Amino acid sequence: MIAEGLIRQLRAELDDGGLRGSFLVRDLRSGTELGIDPDLQFPIASLVKVPLVLATLERIRRGELDGATPLEVAPGKNTTPGPTGLTRFRHPARIAIDDLLYLSVAISDGTAADVLFELTPPAEVMRMLGEWGLSGIFVRHLVGDLLDTPAERFEPADVDLAHALAIGAVTAGQGHRIAQLDVTRANAGSARSFVDLAQALWTPSKIDPDVAERVRELMGLNLLRHRLTPDFASDAARWSSKTGTLLNLRHEVGVVEHADGQVFAVAALTESRVPAGVQPEAEVLMARVARTLRDHLRGGAA
């Protein structure tokens, strides 16, 4: 009954802040979990880079790829505010596959990710997720496709118009006139599917232990730390994660490892109905909701 009351309270806070979302926190030691609409599907934006990197590392382990192989990478030629890394490069570069993995996760480099997708296409990533028994994550298109949205067709000063279109163009059944926001066409997933993936990476599973360890390491190097990190990282807690952002979508999935041995997987996938590109209040709210769920579970496990 206490948990039910807490969920109602957090739903109300999200609604008051103009958000709806799919949240799930799971104690990876006991399996106990608490969430808000954890099975609700959302377009996952850059969260897709985690299964992509996982599949690439598995192919390296199998000998199908060599992580030391240098690849010629064309410049991203992107002028939209936000993208980092190779997406901003003006000249070709030669980069090893191992380093493309780092760029894809640590700074969420879309150009690096699409070079990896050339090696391991979306359909192959999906097939490998099936091999590991991981369902509910749908990999359908390249990361570069995320750059073809209304946000790229407006001047920076008019970004609110792009967000207004994203908010207003939703159809019944979570369809959307913008393909990248339509869960039947976009890369998609839920809080539960990403917590399942995190559990498979942090606890024994069908994923090779060395591959899982490397993915954990890469997620621990994530430099985008403005969203959930302030509520989960401390001197006594290690936070490893991946963010995803597209128009009015703000996501983060990670694992917090406490010095006392407790380990929690956390997934927060959100959609805002506020037509603004910069929403620090939304970042704070989604982090507070995720931490409140974790705190409730942690208190029960203590």
Side-chain angles (χ1 to χ4, degrees), residues 202 216-217 219-222 225 238-242 252-257:
W202 260 262
R216 295 196 302 269
E217 178 186 5
M219 291 176 68
L221 296 173
N222 180 16
R225 303 177 68 81
R238 174 178 172 81
W239 173 246
S240 307
S241 71
K242 180 70 191 76
E252 187 159 357
V253 173
V255 171
V256 57
E257 301 170 86

Side-chain angles (χ1 to χ4, degrees), residues 3 25 56 75 88 99 111-113 128 130 140-141 150 155 179 183 193-195 215 240-241 255-256 263 274 301:
V25 178
T56 305
R88 287 283 184 179
D99 295 325
T111 296
M128 296 174 75
R140 299 181 172 114
H141 62 74
E155 294 297 323
V183 295
S193 63
F194 273 93
V195 164
V215 177
S240 307
S241 71
V255 171
V256 57
V263 183
V274 178

Side-chain angles (χ1 to χ4, degrees), residues 87-151:
T87 307
R88 287 283 184 179
F89 275 32
R90 297 182 178 182
H91 306 285
R94 284 175 62 80
I95 304 174
I97 293 174
D98 274 336
D99 295 325
L100 291 170
L101 295 170
Y102 164 75
L103 293 173
S104 295
V105 176
I107 64 171
S108 201
D109 191 319
T111 296
D114 278 347
V115 174
L116 297 177
F117 264 133
E118 291 177 8
L119 300 173
T120 308
E124 179 65 7
V125 176
M126 281 288 293
R127 188 190 66 77
M128 296 174 75
L129 287 172
E131 283 186 3
W132 293 311
L134 296 168
S135 61
I137 297 174
F138 300 92
V139 183
R140 299 181 172 114
H141 62 74
L142 305 185
V143 175
D145 294 340
L146 299 178
L147 299 179
D148 184 23
T149 72

Side-chain angles (χ1 to χ4, degrees), residues 42-239:
F42 279 92
I44 56 177
S46 287
L47 294 183
V48 75
K49 294 166 186 172
V50 178
L52 166 63
V53 163
L54 173 58
T56 305
L57 284 165
E58 173 61 15
R59 293 191 64 207
I60 292 173
R61 185 192 71 82
R62 294 177 182 179
E64 299 171 7
L65 299 172
D66 183 346
T69 301
L71 300 176
E72 185 84 9
V73 181
K77 300 179 182 178
N78 187 276
T79 59
T80 303
T84 56
L86 298 173
T87 307
R88 287 283 184 179
F89 275 32
R90 297 182 178 182
H91 306 285
R94 284 175 62 80
I95 304 174
I97 293 174
D98 274 336
D99 295 325
L100 291 170
L101 295 170
Y102 164 75
L103 293 173
S104 295
V105 176
I107 64 171
S108 201
D109 191 319
T111 296
D114 278 347
V115 174
L116 297 177
F117 264 133
E118 291 177 8
L119 300 173
T120 308
E124 179 65 7
V125 176
M126 281 288 293
R127 188 190 66 77
M128 296 174 75
L129 287 172
E131 283 186 3
W132 293 311
L134 296 168
S135 61
I137 297 174
F138 300 92
V139 183
R140 299 181 172 114
H141 62 74
L142 305 185
V143 175
D145 294 340
L146 299 178
L147 299 179
D148 184 23
T149 72
E152 284 67 48
R153 299 167 195 173
F154 288 100
E155 294 297 323
D158 296 323
V159 69
D160 61 307
L161 298 178
H163 283 257
L165 285 174
I167 294 164
V170 66
T171 65
Q174 284 193 280
H176 208 287
R177 292 175 62 188
I178 299 173
Q180 297 90 336
L181 298 180
D182 185 334
V183 295
T184 66
R185 293 183 286 169
N187 297 328
S190 65
R192 185 178 304 282
S193 63
F194 273 93
V195 164
D196 288 344
L197 174 56
Q199 180 166 345
L201 291 169
W202 260 262
T203 65
S205 70
K206 293 181 179 180
I207 298 173
D208 179 81
D210 292 336
V211 169
E213 181 181 14
R214 178 58 176 157
V215 177
R216 295 196 302 269
E217 178 186 5
L218 290 170
M219 291 176 68
L221 296 173
N222 180 16
L223 295 177
L224 302 179
R225 303 177 68 81
H226 63 291
R227 191 160 289 163
L228 300 191
T229 303
D231 278 81
F232 285 95
S234 72
D235 288 348
R238 174 178 172 81
W239 173 246

